Amino acid sequence: MTVIDAAPLGVADPSRPTTVHLSGEIDIFTSAALRGQLMDALHHSTSLLVLDLSEVTFCDAGGLGVLVGVQRRARLMGITLALTAPRPFMSRLLRITGLGRGLRMVA
């Protein structure tokens, strides 16, 4: 798992969402690092944090747990977490687990 171009953290434009581009696998081996990076992004985010999933190639239960945990923390901070550009496997995973109803999707 790699976080690509997490936007210019610390100088976020409040009129634009903060976008974090993810790539690779989100699994038991990468979840802890991703959680830390996304929590850091939250502290430098605007009111909308968008996770671009277009380059994510795999996601397991640990990865889904990270998304849910980051969403909970974002809500406590008054930030909306949204997902964009999931690959078909990821859209299906979110749908069959029911997380697609709780995690906001943006175009």
Side-chain angles (χ1 to χ4, degrees), residues 77-90:
M77 297 172 70
I79 297 169
T80 300
L81 177 71
L83 308 177
T84 191
R87 291 183 175 187
F89 85 89
M90 190 70 182

Side-chain angles (χ1 to χ4, degrees), residues 20-36:
V20 176
H21 302 273
L22 305 178
S23 71
E25 299 179 356
I26 304 173
D27 58 20
I28 192 169
F29 302 108
T30 61
S31 293
L34 177 61
R35 180 179 290 107

Side-chain angles (χ1 to χ4, degrees), residues 5 13 24 28 35 64 71 83 92-93 97 99:
D5 182 31
D13 178 353
I28 192 169
R35 180 179 290 107
L64 293 176
Q71 180 191 38
L83 308 177
R92 183 169 187 264
L93 183 61
T97 60
L99 294 176

